[in-house]
Amino acid sequence: MILLDDTFLSEVGLAALPAGQRQALLQRIYEELELRVGTSLTDSLSDAQVEEFEALIDHDQTAVAAWLHSVVPNFTEDPLYMAMVEKLSAATPDAVVCEGSAA
């Protein structure tokens, strides 16, 4: 996995950028990657699937619950869910479910 940090900038020859410019560049790279990945993903989805995906990303509780129950009916017993609960111990159960569905 590529981490967008100062090490990344050093590896691509941009370590000498001033701190403010480094942070702005990293943010721009992240936004561009997010756009390109999102575009690539949604190109192969139907309109209904795009709407469902957007609802999951937007943490729409109703959509998340419906998706989870259709895909993983016993999600609370799923090892991934249990790991998320442990990792996000300070989060509400709804937040854990939303974060897990977006992963």
Side-chain angles (χ1 to χ4, degrees):
M1 178 203 280
I2 296 174
L3 294 176
L4 297 178
D5 58 10
D6 285 334
T7 302
F8 168 78
L9 292 177
S10 292
E11 290 173 356
V12 296
L14 298 171
L17 285 174
Q21 287 181 346
R22 283 195 313 263
Q23 201 54 38
L25 180 60
L26 289 171
Q27 182 63 35
R28 178 68 182 114
I29 292 169
Y30 178 83
E31 290 168 358
E32 185 65 27
L33 284 171
E34 191 174 57
L35 175 66
R36 289 182 186 202
V37 169
T39 300
S40 180
L41 285 173
T42 58
D43 282 349
S44 63
L45 300 177
S46 69
D47 289 345
Q49 289 172 317
V50 169
E51 288 178 22
E52 182 181 44
F53 179 71
E54 288 173 348
L56 294 175
I57 296 302
D58 292 340
H59 294 178
D60 177 320
Q61 292 295 316
T62 303
V64 170
W67 179 82
L68 270 175
H69 288 290
S70 70
V71 177
V72 188
N74 299 320
F75 70 89
T76 58
E77 299 169 18
D78 186 276
L80 176 60
Y81 175 80
M82 289 188 270
M84 296 281 300
V85 168
E86 187 174 322
K87 180 180 176 185
L88 302 171
S89 60
T92 66
D94 286 345
V96 172
V97 167
C98 285
E99 190 63 32
S101 68

